[in-house]
Amino acid sequence: MISRISSAVLVGRDRDVDTLSAALDASGTGAPRFVVVLGEAGVGKSRLVREATRPGDGARRLVLTGECLDIGVAGLPYLPIASALRGLARAVPPDDLERLLGPARGDLAAIVPELATDGVAPPVEASASALPSGLGQARLFERILGLFGALSAVGPTVLVVEDVHWIDRATRDLLTFLSRNLTSERLAVVLTCRVDDLPRGHRILAWLAELERVPSTVVLELGRLDRDAVQRQLSLIGGGEPGAGVLDRIWRRSEGNPLLVEELFAAGGSEGPRSVVEVLLARVARLDRPARTIVDAAAIAGRPVDDRLLAEVLEVPEAEIDEGLRAALDDRVLEHEPATGYRFRHELLREVVEAELLPGARRRLHERFARRLEARPELADTSPVGAAAELAHHFAEAGLAVEAYTHLVRAADASEAVHAYADAHRALERALALEPRLPQVADDPGSRLELRRRAADNADLDGEFARALELTREALTLVDPAADPATAGTLHSRVGYLQWSLGDSATALDAHREAVRLVPTEPPTAERARVLASLGGALMGAGRWAESREVCEAAIACAGVAGARAEESRARNMLGSDLVALGDIEGGIAQLREACRLAEETSQAHVRIVGHYNLALNLATADRLDEALEAAEAGRRAVDESGLRRRFGQDLAAITGDVLLRLGRVDDALEVVDAGLTLAPGGSRIVYLSAVRARIAGIRGDTADVERRIGGIDLSTLDPDVAAYVATVRAEALAWADRPDEALAAAEAGVAQLKGLDDVLWTAPLVAHALRCCAELAEAARARRADGALQAAIARTGPFRVQLDRLAPRVTTSSGRAWVASARGELARAGGEADADDWRAAVAAFDGVPDPIDGAYARFRAAEAALRTEGVRADVTALVHEAAAVAEAAGAAPLAAAVATLAARGRIAPRTAEGSASGPATKADEAPLTDPRAAAHALGLSAREVEVLELVAAGLSNGEIAERLFITRKTAGVHVTHILDKLDVPNRVGAAMVAARIGLSGGGEPEDPDAPPRR
């Protein structure tokens, strides 16, 4: 027998070790790193990590390791983190541990009882009540982040999480949190993942791709060894060079997989076994019966297990298993870790052993584990979550439906207690699947109803709206509306809410009305207040604000009598939004703030979150952007504290990104929005977030991305305000892409969604964008003397002119006044007029918000209008420079190009970094849309006049034109006068704009002594 089957030296991985070591070294200097090690089973991922993290060369790192286990659908929340922290508790002296943990000790003990002061794990039944009061997922995450910060202050620290292809949702969220919040900690997080079993598009691969986008992440993909590396591996294992025949056989059959190289070499020189499974089973087959029995039991355990539990399960004295354990160790099937117990040398080997067991033997072993762990809880996982999930797993696999059902529900209790809602949902789904085998449950509608309601709540909190809706509908079938109208009504209300979450607003409204019909009016109850508030919210979302106001006021009155604070908070929240939409902004904000105050008195996290969100949304609508950011931040804290990031995080990311974008903080908005998109579970709730992201793309000129994100959205499925925002974003982006017809159609579609609503908030920007498109179409037609197209463009302004007249006296916000002034400016532009006053009014109003990006566009148009009427002597330098500065800071390439082109035509020098003019500007390049000379001739210009117009467009003076064309200055002046008359423009700037419209290119960099560049 070969005594050593692993080479003493890691072979063929020098470059990978160097890469991983470099990442660890960087983290040791205060530049945190995430390292993802990918590869197939047996390729050496864990060996690589051990090699890179072992002490040596003066490196002194604290290495904490945890692994994910394939422990069944119930899951083990935070299992690898708990394992790593147990290692910390063993490695650090008690006094040092106390100092490192500080006030976090109690919170962390919720998942690692060994960290508790007394080191005693609470019983599973008491797990929820044993948790620290108010513990939320974000608080736990912050505690763990703080602990790693304290550890890294002492010395470089490495967290290794093995086998993340089995990672639980809670740990996944924690690692995502760490990847985005590590700053200068001396910490490296190393993840290993077996990729050969994960299909393309698997959620774990998507999550790893998300991590990879973080700049501090390093990805290592381990391939198989080449022939030379296999030869060296064999020589190190065997103590000498392998024979040619041995090398050829093993190289051919292992294909360079290091684990198979070792196993094939250990199997000897025979031609069999031939498959991976056979290779691994050959090692187990050498064991005698006592050793094989122990190995089978260890395979069913699914985790490292100590000899006490093995003896209990096998029902033999502990001393009698020593010989079998020794044989399994000698044959390198098992290995021993003092801290955790006996485990398989490789997880793939454990899977093979488990798969080889007959179904009956597998069931019996699972039952033995379940019974012994139930009787001896001290042998179970020490955390309440782990212990409950482990018992549920073994009972379920043993086919013991009654016990499995009980423990699956307890596992859900424990998962909910640490806000692991995805794990709780999976446990309850498995419990639901057992119902047909449980007559006592099948015949108890109350139990079945409660289980479905609870599973639906967890699915909702995890963002799985479709499944939550299915479960709620199932629950409805178990209720007799005549006997229990309150429960039936409450469930109908939940159906309505979930239908709205999935984008079915019309059907949702019907469900809410049915809920109000069912729940009795007398006596006033919390249930009655709840369904009234929900109906009010549905009406508010549909834009029926006056009707919603009446319903919400009734809900408030009912809640007040019933003493239902949460329901009153929700109703005031909806009422506040109604009042803002109806024009009573101060009254609405007051109601929203009162709603938030009441929400803080309740224990319902989602009520607090929705309160902060709607307050932020309405503050933003009222142009109180700084206050809106504060409210959104409060909402994000509430989300984090309650572990509801996946449920509400995308909504708060949307409003935060929207406000940051309006404030001109585009990079900050992009960071927030992209983080929110990683949380989005699908459905209509992602639309607002996607639209904010699309607006960033449109501002920066990426129209294709805009269309990808929002181009296919059916506006009729959205709430009116969301539909209007989506349409506005699309219209703006298409206008910048010089696609005015499509942009106008987008604006018209948005206006159609507001038809019949008495709205002054969302219509104004749509009207302004629609008139902008009309102006673009009119100017293009006017430049080409296309009278029919010109009249058509002007005619299309008619409906928007009517809406503008209706809006103008009713807008009360600064942004509303800005959009009305912008719309008037665009209307004048469409009519061939140039009125800078409207645009300057828009500038002042946008500055009052402040809204730098929309203000920059208004500055651009104000400068253009002044140049049209006053020529190059117009005092617009400040306007142009300010617009250019905003465009540059925002990365708004289309706006920047338009401003630069205008500056060139107006002979305004660009601003230097120091703020002074740098010299005369040149015309920006523009791609002609048609044959420009033919277009110029069609406008009545002669060949010589076309040449002169090109030079006018380039900014040359009459003297320079004369010199360039070898004519007199007087003749040049006559040509210019004729051009102005034929083009019907008042000055040279207007002529240059017409030249740009038809794609006529200018050239040269003139120095006009009569009109020096403005500074």
Side-chain angles (χ1 to χ4, degrees):
M1 182 182 299
I2 303 298
S3 62
R4 187 186 72 239
I5 62 171
S6 293
S7 62
V9 177
L10 182 63
V11 174
R13 302 295 186 202
D14 292 349
R15 182 177 299 175
D16 299 310
V17 170
D18 289 346
T19 300
L20 180 50
S21 297
L24 298 178
D25 291 342
S27 71
T29 65
R33 290 288 185 271
F34 260 67
V35 183
V36 181
V37 183
L38 305 173
E40 65 178 340
V43 82
K45 302 180 292 295
S46 298
R47 178 74 188 274
L48 171 71
V49 173
R50 289 197 300 271
E51 184 74 16
T53 57
R54 65 181 175 84
D57 300 326
R60 300 186 62 181
R61 302 186 183 97
L62 173 64
V63 181
L64 304 175
T65 301
E67 62 182 331
C68 308
L69 298 179
D70 184 17
I71 200 64
V73 296
L76 290 176
Y78 303 115
L79 174 67
I81 303 303
S83 178
L85 295 183
R86 288 190 191 106
L88 174 67
R90 292 188 295 268
V92 177
D95 290 345
D96 292 342
L97 186 63
E98 177 66 28
R99 177 176 51 79
L100 289 167
L101 293 174
R105 185 164 206 150
D107 290 347
L108 296 177
I111 59 171
V112 188
E114 290 90 338
L115 297 180
T117 304
D118 56 8
V120 177
V124 172
E125 292 81 356
S127 61
S129 60
L131 292 174
S133 175
L135 175 61
Q137 190 182 65
R139 176 172 161 181
L140 180 63
F141 288 5
E142 290 289 352
R143 293 301 201 195
I144 292 172
L145 176 62
L147 173 59
F148 283 128
L151 289 171
S152 71
V154 176
T157 304
V158 181
L159 171 64
V160 179
V161 180
E162 295 269 23
D163 297 328
V164 298
H165 44 278
W166 289 319
I167 194 169
D168 63 277
R169 171 67 65 76
T171 303
R172 199 167 86 202
D173 287 346
L174 169 62
L175 293 176
T176 301
F177 172 83
L178 290 177
S179 73
R180 292 182 182 144
N181 289 277
L182 293 171
T183 53
S184 58
E185 294 84 357
R186 292 191 291 172
L187 175 69
V189 180
V190 183
L191 314 178
T192 67
C193 181
R194 186 199 302 176
V195 294
D196 46 326
D197 290 340
L198 299 179
R200 180 176 298 179
H202 191 278
R203 64 182 185 279
I204 298 302
L205 295 179
W207 171 65
L208 292 175
E210 173 193 331
L211 289 183
E212 189 175 351
R213 288 193 290 270
V214 178
S216 59
T217 298
V218 177
V219 177
L220 286 174
E221 296 190 44
L222 301 189
R224 296 180 177 183
L225 303 178
D226 59 23
R227 181 185 174 90
D228 290 342
V230 169
Q231 180 178 3
R232 174 152 171 74
Q233 183 184 8
L234 290 173
S235 67
L236 289 167
I237 294 172
E241 289 297 321
V246 173
L247 174 60
D248 289 341
R249 175 177 58 83
I250 293 179
W251 162 247
R252 183 182 71 253
R253 295 171 60 203
S254 71
E255 296 182 330
N257 183 294
L259 176 64
L260 289 183
V261 170
E262 296 173 353
E263 295 296 340
L264 288 166
F265 186 72
S270 65
E271 280 300 309
R274 297 185 178 277
S275 71
V276 175
V277 171
E278 289 174 325
V279 167
L280 295 174
L281 284 177
R283 174 167 296 281
V284 179
R286 291 196 293 264
L287 299 173
D288 60 18
R289 174 47 54 187
R292 179 60 188 267
T293 301
I294 291 170
V295 167
D296 289 347
I300 291 299
R303 63 170 174 89
V305 60
D306 68 13
D307 50 352
R308 294 177 302 158
L309 181 54
L310 286 172
E312 289 273 351
V313 169
L314 297 175
E315 299 177 341
V316 298
E318 291 182 30
E320 290 187 17
I321 69 170
D322 288 348
E323 186 176 347
L325 283 172
R326 174 58 60 191
L329 291 171
D330 289 343
D331 258 330
R332 301 297 299 275
V333 175
L334 299 180
E335 58 188 17
H336 184 255
E337 294 180 357
T340 58
Y342 296 91
R343 59 179 298 152
F344 280 83
R345 176 175 171 266
H346 195 283
E347 175 59 22
L348 188 59
L349 181 57
R350 188 202 68 78
E351 293 173 24
V352 168
V353 172
E354 183 182 27
E356 281 295 299
L357 285 169
L358 293 172
R362 192 180 300 120
R363 284 196 305 272
R364 288 190 295 273
L365 281 170
H366 275 296
E367 182 175 0
R368 289 179 190 173
F369 270 105
R371 298 296 187 195
R372 299 321 299 161
L373 289 170
E374 189 176 39
R376 298 280 304 276
E378 72 274 12
L379 299 179
D381 190 285
T382 57
S383 73
V385 178
E390 188 175 27
L391 269 173
H393 168 65
H394 285 305
F395 274 121
E397 292 299 316
L400 300 172
V402 174
E403 294 89 341
Y405 182 91
T406 299
H407 286 285
L408 283 165
V409 173
R410 290 180 180 177
D413 293 340
S415 295
E416 287 173 356
V418 292
H419 308 288
Y421 301 112
D423 300 284
H425 177 211
R426 288 201 305 272
L428 293 172
E429 288 279 12
R430 197 166 187 186
L432 284 168
L434 291 174
E435 281 186 348
R437 298 169 56 188
L438 302 171
Q440 67 275 30
V441 175
D443 296 336
D444 182 0
S447 295
R448 296 176 64 204
L449 169 64
E450 179 57 30
L451 193 64
R452 279 157 180 78
R453 291 181 73 168
R454 186 173 168 191
D457 286 344
N458 277 286
D460 175 23
L461 293 172
D462 189 42
E464 298 291 341
F465 303 124
R467 181 55 181 157
L469 180 58
E470 290 174 3
L471 289 164
T472 305
R473 283 174 168 158
E474 287 182 23
L476 259 174
T477 65
L478 300 172
V479 180
D480 179 1
D484 190 356
T487 298
T490 301
L491 288 171
H492 273 290
S493 184
R494 288 292 293 165
V495 166
Y497 168 74
L498 292 166
Q499 287 173 325
W500 171 80
S501 297
L502 290 166
D504 189 0
S505 300
T507 307
L509 192 55
D510 292 337
H512 284 298
R513 291 193 187 281
E514 178 65 7
V516 171
R517 186 189 71 79
L518 285 168
V519 179
T521 305
E522 295 294 337
T525 60
E527 290 80 7
R528 177 72 182 176
R530 188 177 308 130
V531 297
L532 282 169
S534 296
L535 173 59
L539 290 167
M540 183 269 293
R544 297 160 71 166
W545 304 301
E547 186 179 354
S548 173
R549 177 175 60 187
E550 293 181 5
V551 173
C552 290
E553 288 171 346
I556 292 167
C558 180
V561 175
R565 289 295 200 203
E567 285 67 28
E568 183 180 351
S569 173
R570 294 177 66 231
R572 289 189 184 278
N573 202 310
M574 301 304 114
L575 176 61
S577 299
D578 291 330
L579 293 176
V580 170
L582 291 168
D584 183 4
I585 291 176
E586 291 305 319
I589 296 299
Q591 287 288 345
L592 288 157
R593 291 198 184 280
E594 176 64 8
C596 289
R597 187 192 68 77
L598 289 170
E600 293 300 325
E601 298 178 3
T602 76
S603 60
Q604 299 184 27
H606 67 281
V607 177
R608 297 197 302 274
I609 294 165
V610 172
H612 290 305
Y613 172 78
N614 278 342
L615 176 60
L617 195 65
N618 284 281
L619 285 168
T621 300
D623 296 336
R624 292 156 66 168
L625 300 185
D626 290 337
E627 293 176 70
L629 276 183
E630 291 177 7
E633 184 56 34
R636 294 173 76 182
R637 286 196 300 272
V639 161
D640 290 343
E641 289 167 3
S642 58
L644 298 177
R645 185 181 291 108
R646 290 187 62 81
R647 176 61 184 80
F648 293 105
Q650 66 271 20
D651 299 313
L652 287 156
I655 181 59
T656 304
D658 191 3
V659 171
L660 289 170
L661 186 54
R662 290 183 64 189
L663 288 168
R665 295 165 56 182
V666 182
D667 289 335
D668 292 340
L670 183 62
E671 181 179 354
V672 169
V673 170
D674 281 349
L677 285 169
T678 66
L679 303 173
S684 69
R685 299 185 70 84
I686 192 178
V687 171
Y688 181 24
L689 184 61
S690 294
V692 177
R693 182 62 180 84
R695 188 176 183 222
I696 297 172
I699 286 170
R700 291 185 164 177
D702 190 351
T703 313
D705 191 41
V706 175
E707 292 296 277
R708 181 176 67 83
R709 293 182 185 277
I710 62 172
I713 292 175
D714 181 357
L715 298 184
S716 66
T717 65
L718 307 177
D719 289 349
D721 57 334
V722 179
Y725 183 79
V726 171
T728 301
V729 168
R730 191 159 181 261
E732 179 185 41
L734 290 169
W736 279 125
D738 198 20
R739 293 157 61 180
D741 270 314
E742 295 173 74
L744 181 54
E748 289 171 336
V751 170
Q753 297 305 309
L754 300 172
K755 185 177 180 181
L757 304 180
D758 193 21
D759 166 63
V760 296
L761 297 173
W762 303 289
T763 304
L766 276 171
V767 168
H769 282 292
L771 289 172
R772 171 183 176 178
C773 299
C774 292
E776 297 291 337
L777 292 169
E779 287 194 338
R782 193 175 287 112
R784 290 170 172 78
R785 298 283 177 83
D787 290 339
L790 175 60
Q791 293 307 312
I794 293 174
R796 293 180 76 174
T797 67
F800 302 108
R801 186 194 300 267
V802 172
Q803 288 180 305
L804 179 59
D805 291 341
R806 182 183 65 83
L807 283 170
R810 301 173 62 236
V811 294
T812 58
T813 63
S814 185
S815 60
R817 289 189 292 272
W819 288 117
V820 166
S822 297
R824 285 172 170 158
E826 300 288 15
L827 189 60
R829 196 159 66 94
E833 301 171 2
D835 187 351
D837 290 341
D838 284 327
W839 287 112
R840 290 185 183 274
V843 169
F846 278 128
D847 286 353
V849 176
D851 184 342
I853 295 174
D854 289 317
Y857 175 77
R859 282 174 164 80
F860 160 65
R861 289 300 183 196
E864 179 188 59
L867 287 168
R868 284 181 185 274
T869 56
E870 302 174 42
V872 294
R873 287 176 172 78
D875 185 13
V876 296
T877 301
L879 289 172
V880 171
H881 284 173
E882 288 162 3
V886 170
E888 181 181 0
L895 176 60
V899 173
T901 300
L902 180 68
R905 293 169 190 156
R907 314 211 53 224
I908 300 168
R911 197 174 185 84
T912 65
E914 292 74 24
S916 61
S918 62
T922 60
K923 180 182 180 298
D925 293 335
E926 295 183 12
L929 301 178
T930 183
D931 180 354
R933 287 183 173 271
H937 290 312
L939 296 176
L941 301 184
S942 67
R944 174 60 85 181
E945 287 167 347
V946 172
E947 291 179 315
V948 173
L949 179 58
E950 284 185 297
L951 299 177
V952 168
L956 273 67
S957 66
N958 288 352
E960 290 168 324
I961 292 172
E963 182 179 351
R964 184 73 62 87
L965 298 180
F966 305 102
I967 58 179
T968 66
R969 183 177 183 130
K970 181 177 179 180
T971 301
V974 170
H975 283 312
V976 170
T977 300
H978 289 168
I979 290 169
L980 299 181
D981 290 341
K982 290 180 178 181
L983 297 182
D984 192 24
V985 293
N987 52 45
R988 300 164 67 94
V989 174
M993 291 177 179
V994 172
R997 279 282 177 195
I998 63 175
L1000 197 64
S1001 175
E1005 296 186 2
E1007 290 268 354
D1008 184 357
D1010 297 326
R1014 305 197 67 82
R1015 299 177 182 271

